[in-house]
Amino acid sequence: MSGQILSQALAKLSGHDLRLVYALLCKTNIFNLISTKTKDLLSSDESNHFSKHLEEEAKKLLSKTNEEIRLSLFLELTKIAQLKGGRYDLKKEIEDKCQEIVDWAFNEFQKKNKEFQQYYKEKDIDKLEAMIHWQMNQVFKELDLKLTGLSEYEQDQLAEKVLEFVNSLPSDQQEKIKEKLGVQEISNKVVKNIMAQSGASILFATIVEVSGFAFYTTATSMLAAFMGFFGITLPFGAYTTLTSTIAFLANPLFILPLILGGGVLLVNHQNKSLRKRLVPIVLMQISLPYLTNPEISYHDLSVISNEWIPKFDNYKQLYHKLKLNQEEQRKLNREISALNTKLQAREADKKEKENKISAIKEKLKEKLKNDKGRPYIEGLTNQLHSMQNQIVGLEEQIKIEKRSSTGFWRSIKTALKTSNYQLEIASLKRRMDQTFEQWWRLFYRESWSMQTNNLDKSIPCNWKYKNYFSKFLPYKFSCLKRIKNYPICE
């Protein structure tokens, strides 16, 4: 039953009322409430800045059609309730999903309002109707104190309006109202006494219990007229959106627990919590304009399904493209994986060949180092020969000293001299190694500047030392052929 009521109410809701409800659910967050409440406290007038915020957000939606907003509102409710999607081109699917929304909202509402649990147990009414009645009762209770500030004339006028509504009801309903209020008759004086002693909320709740939702239109219109909150010409849905229900949401006692419960870092979480708290209020705003209409008629749910079908078709096309893209991505990933495998093999092969090249360089270097017939490079070769001759001379001197060392003191003297000679020889060898490194780099650059993968006489190369190389060709070529495709020069 609730699902049918909500789906019909949603199909009927349109225009400014629809946009206000959408703005309330989708354009409200913790910061909106805090900033607007702060403005209310600092403002010198009695304007409701949160109401202005909703009005501004509603104006921004004028470029969108009722159908677009209605579907977005419906889908947003399913999203907040975390419901599984469905085929909304079917009437039954829409009604069933609306029922799921009501069931979810009802369960959440019971968790947050312990008093509501007892209220529902005492009333034999539908879940949606129970939430609406309870919320409106809270609105009327909050207005009790404000009603006491009315002048005697305004109280008379208010009582007269209530009496006028009661007298318009069938006689059996009038009798039930009298019975529940414990009075013999309903007059202007009786109405004023009940509001003064028990509060307008008790009176209104009793009338609603007997007459149904229709009284809400009369009640809110009277309050708007007598209290000057908004113009009486405002539609009912707009007025209820802006009444004390929203004032309750902007109350610090409601906001602070949300903020302090998680801190600023969890604002997104708290905004989600706020949206959940707003759902019962939104369901009330959607349903009341429909339920308060004395002539409830059937509204075709195609206004929802016709808007959903093109979006669903577009979704199917996008989903198909997504599947094709995912398959293409998997194919490319396989190709990338295969190429990475080849690249790793090539890298390993390159590393192995580089190591072989390095080993060949070292062997060639050692052969050149020990070869007295190596090519002459002016300056470096002379230095090497000079240091080599010095080493030979020092080694010869050590032999002479050792042959002539006789006696204990002479042996000590010889040991000291030979030690100095050994230090000089070690120093010369280090210098020779450094000089030979310079010679090797120059020789290597000059002699092996080739960039090709074949080894023949057509290679652009400096064959300055080709006569010298001929002694090493069997060795070098046997090594180089094994690492063909890698240049030996740097």
Side-chain angles (χ1 to χ4, degrees):
M1 183 62 180
S2 292
Q4 292 178 351
I5 293 174
L6 181 59
S7 61
Q8 287 290 303
L10 185 60
K12 176 184 178 182
L13 196 64
S14 62
H16 191 59
D17 290 358
L18 174 62
R19 285 161 175 77
L20 278 174
V21 174
Y22 182 86
L24 174 62
L25 182 65
C26 303
K27 301 298 181 180
T28 300
N29 56 49
I30 293 293
F31 290 123
N32 294 147
L33 295 178
I34 294 175
S35 61
T36 52
K37 184 60 178 178
T38 302
K39 290 177 182 178
D40 286 347
L41 294 174
L42 298 178
S43 178
S44 58
D45 56 19
E46 296 184 359
S47 58
N48 188 320
H49 289 87
F50 185 75
S51 302
K52 292 180 179 179
H53 162 73
L54 291 181
E55 289 287 351
E56 291 171 0
E57 292 296 333
K59 288 179 182 178
K60 295 177 183 178
L61 298 169
L62 290 175
S63 60
K64 292 188 175 183
T65 64
N66 289 332
E67 290 73 21
E68 285 181 279
I69 301 172
R70 189 181 291 113
L71 178 63
S72 297
L73 179 60
F74 172 67
L75 295 177
E76 187 64 27
L77 287 169
T78 63
K79 180 180 177 182
I80 295 173
Q82 297 180 328
L83 302 179
K84 186 178 179 180
R87 293 293 301 265
Y88 302 129
D89 51 347
L90 304 173
K91 172 188 172 184
K92 186 176 185 307
E93 187 70 29
I94 296 173
E95 291 179 346
D96 289 346
K97 196 60 63 177
C98 284
Q99 182 63 55
E100 291 181 44
I101 293 171
V102 172
D103 291 340
W104 175 85
F106 179 82
N107 292 332
E108 292 293 316
F109 201 60
Q110 282 194 117
K111 294 176 186 178
K112 301 294 183 182
N113 302 279
K114 301 301 180 182
E115 295 178 5
F116 174 71
Q117 295 181 16
Q118 186 62 34
Y119 174 85
Y120 179 70
K121 290 178 182 179
E122 296 172 355
K123 305 290 182 180
D124 184 21
I125 53 178
D126 184 78
K127 291 179 179 179
L128 180 59
E129 292 182 8
M131 287 190 288
I132 293 173
H133 283 311
W134 195 86
Q135 291 181 93
M136 288 303 296
N137 287 343
Q138 304 311 303
V139 172
F140 292 145
K141 285 179 182 178
E142 289 186 21
L143 293 174
D144 276 342
L145 292 176
K146 295 185 179 181
L147 289 174
T148 58
L150 295 177
S151 66
E152 186 70 24
Y153 173 76
E154 289 171 333
Q155 290 181 24
D156 285 335
Q157 292 296 308
L158 179 59
E160 189 64 35
K161 290 290 184 182
V162 173
L163 185 60
E164 182 181 332
F165 177 82
V166 173
N167 289 334
S168 68
L169 297 173
S171 57
D172 59 330
Q173 290 187 359
Q174 293 184 38
E175 292 301 321
K176 285 183 181 180
I177 292 173
K178 293 176 185 179
E179 181 183 342
K180 288 182 176 295
L181 292 175
V183 296
Q184 297 296 322
E185 63 175 358
I186 299 180
S187 62
N188 188 299
K189 183 178 180 180
V190 171
V191 171
K192 288 173 60 178
N193 287 338
I194 293 174
M195 287 194 295
Q197 295 174 10
S198 303
S201 58
I202 300 297
L203 176 63
F204 292 171
T206 302
I207 297 175
V208 169
E209 185 178 352
V210 175
S211 64
F213 289 94
F215 179 69
Y216 285 139
T217 303
T218 300
T220 51
S221 297
M222 287 187 299
L223 296 175
F226 288 109
M227 300 184 67
F229 291 152
F230 308 95
I232 192 169
T233 56
L234 276 178
F236 175 72
Y239 176 75
T240 54
T241 302
L242 306 176
T243 55
S244 298
T245 305
I246 302 304
F248 165 72
L249 287 175
N251 192 302
L253 295 178
F254 174 81
I255 298 173
L256 289 178
L258 287 176
I259 300 175
L260 298 177
V264 177
L265 295 178
L266 296 179
V267 168
N268 287 337
H269 172 74
Q270 305 302 357
N271 279 331
K272 290 180 181 179
S273 178
L274 171 63
R275 286 156 74 83
K276 289 181 179 180
R277 295 284 293 271
L278 285 171
V279 169
I281 300 171
V282 168
L283 298 185
M284 178 180 72
Q285 307 307 323
I286 294 173
S287 304
L288 275 176
Y290 173 77
L291 293 172
T292 53
N293 188 344
E295 297 180 1
I296 296 179
S297 58
Y298 174 76
H299 295 273
D300 192 353
L301 297 184
S302 62
V303 294
I304 297 175
S305 59
N306 289 344
E307 183 68 22
W308 178 82
I309 290 172
K311 293 183 181 297
F312 179 65
D313 291 338
N314 184 52
Y315 167 81
K316 287 193 295 185
Q317 293 177 7
L318 292 175
Y319 183 76
H320 179 66
K321 290 181 181 179
L322 175 64
K323 287 297 182 183
L324 292 177
N325 288 337
Q326 288 176 337
E327 182 57 37
E328 182 66 21
Q329 185 180 29
R330 284 191 290 269
K331 180 181 176 182
L332 291 174
N333 285 337
R334 289 193 295 269
E335 292 178 2
I336 291 172
S337 178
L339 290 174
N340 282 333
T341 301
K342 289 182 180 180
L343 179 61
Q344 291 174 1
R346 294 282 181 89
E347 289 290 342
D349 185 53
K350 177 184 175 184
K351 187 67 176 177
E352 180 183 358
K353 290 178 179 179
E354 286 176 343
N355 291 337
K356 289 181 179 179
I357 290 173
S358 179
I360 291 172
K361 286 182 180 179
E362 289 300 318
K363 289 181 179 180
L364 184 59
K365 182 178 175 182
E366 285 300 317
K367 284 183 176 290
L368 288 170
K369 188 174 183 180
N370 299 321
D371 186 7
K372 294 181 180 179
R374 61 175 172 259
Y376 177 83
I377 298 179
E378 187 175 354
L380 295 177
T381 301
N382 291 340
Q383 291 179 35
L384 288 171
H385 288 168
S386 174
M387 287 184 281
Q388 183 63 43
N389 291 335
Q390 291 180 54
I391 291 173
V392 171
L394 290 170
E395 289 176 342
E396 186 63 29
Q397 191 64 35
I398 290 173
K399 292 177 181 178
I400 294 172
E401 289 291 336
K402 287 183 177 180
R403 284 197 300 268
S404 62
S405 62
T406 56
F408 176 74
W409 294 109
R410 184 69 177 175
S411 297
I412 294 175
K413 184 177 179 181
T414 299
L416 292 173
K417 283 187 177 182
T418 55
S419 177
N420 289 333
Y421 293 153
Q422 292 289 354
L423 291 174
E424 288 185 44
I425 290 172
S427 176
L428 286 168
K429 285 183 176 180
R430 287 194 296 272
R431 287 168 56 195
M432 281 187 69
D433 288 339
Q434 294 172 359
T435 304
F436 183 76
E437 284 296 328
Q438 296 178 31
W439 181 90
W440 164 254
R441 286 194 294 272
L442 181 60
F443 168 79
Y444 192 72
R445 184 173 63 250
E446 289 289 329
S447 306
W448 295 87
S449 57
M450 58 182 70
Q451 297 179 351
T452 182
N453 54 10
N454 295 307
L455 295 172
D456 54 33
K457 293 289 183 74
S458 65
I459 298 172
C461 181
N462 186 343
W463 291 98
K464 179 178 179 181
Y465 305 116
K466 64 180 180 178
N467 292 332
Y468 173 78
F469 290 161
S470 62
K471 295 188 296 179
F472 297 104
L473 282 177
Y475 164 74
K476 293 196 297 295
F477 274 52
S478 64
C479 294
L480 294 173
K481 285 178 182 179
R482 294 198 300 272
I483 56 172
K484 192 169 64 173
N485 298 330
Y486 278 84
I488 199 98
C489 298
E490 295 178 342

